[in-house]
Amino acid sequence: RRELEMYPLRVRVNRTDGMGDVLLLDKVMEVSRATLLSDVKVLACALHEITHPVTLYHRSSLHVDWEQGDEAQSLHALGFIDGHWLLLQTAGKLHPVTPSPSGARSPRGGRGVLAAVGLQNLGNTCYMNASLQCLVHTPLLPRYFGVEYRYDLSTAGNWGMAGKLAVAFAEI
């Protein structure tokens, strides 16, 4: 029995260099939500032409810490969403990957907290941006859009954005 997945996940894959610093080169791949994380690791290594052992980290947006996932679980079980990030870190590095205050990701320690500080104005979006900033800094909404919103996404039906607007807001 074969199934066709209409909307595969688009996953962004980054890697570290020999010193353990995250390269600003990310590549995108499409995978099924049913794929095991171990299989995604193999595909991601092939995408970046990596043949040596790596540690795989993942996160849902730029505003959360990298974390290791259980490679025996599927992407769906791990809560992956469209646009999820993967990081291939060279094996043998001693420091876990954490965000730095400047927004760059460093595996060498230090813990920074990233916050939304502004949105790009497209010429006629300043009022919408101000409204979104107010909503983002309301305690209930960021908590809801951290994880809980995934259970309320409406991807079926002929009207609406199929959950894409909610996912985009969650990434802010």
Side-chain angles (χ1 to χ4, degrees), residues 13-159:
V13 184
N14 288 51
R15 63 168 293 183
T16 59
D17 62 10
M19 300 293 292
D21 295 320
V22 178
L23 298 174
L24 296 177
L25 169 69
D26 66 310
K27 297 182 179 185
V28 177
M29 66 181 198
E30 291 186 350
V31 291
S32 168
R33 288 169 171 77
T35 307
L36 297 178
L37 188 59
S38 59
D39 295 334
V40 171
K41 180 178 177 180
V42 171
L43 293 170
C45 285
L47 183 66
H48 277 280
E49 300 175 357
I50 297 174
T51 57
H52 52 278
V54 297
T55 303
L56 181 66
Y57 292 93
H58 70 94
R59 64 179 176 193
S60 59
S61 77
L62 294 173
H63 304 290
V64 296
D65 289 345
W66 291 105
E67 61 181 85
Q68 276 188 280
D70 180 359
E71 292 188 20
Q73 290 191 3
S74 70
L75 301 185
H76 177 74
L78 292 168
F80 272 49
I81 59 173
D82 199 42
H84 216 87
W85 294 76
L86 294 176
L87 177 66
L88 303 169
Q89 185 181 29
T90 303
K93 301 295 180 196
L94 300 176
H95 305 288
V97 178
T98 57
S100 68
S102 68
R105 302 303 178 245
S106 171
R108 295 225 172 100
R111 247 182 116 71
V113 176
L114 294 178
V117 294
L119 299 170
Q120 182 178 7
N121 187 1
L122 301 176
N124 59 354
T125 59
C126 59
Y127 293 110
M128 181 185 69
N129 290 346
S131 300
L132 286 174
Q133 285 294 313
C134 290
L135 290 173
V136 165
H137 289 90
T138 303
L140 182 62
L141 244 50
R143 203 170 337 140
Y144 173 76
F145 278 99
V147 174
E148 295 174 25
Y149 80 98
R150 294 178 189 161
Y151 301 106
D152 296 326
L153 284 178
S154 175
T155 57
N158 294 334
W159 62 276

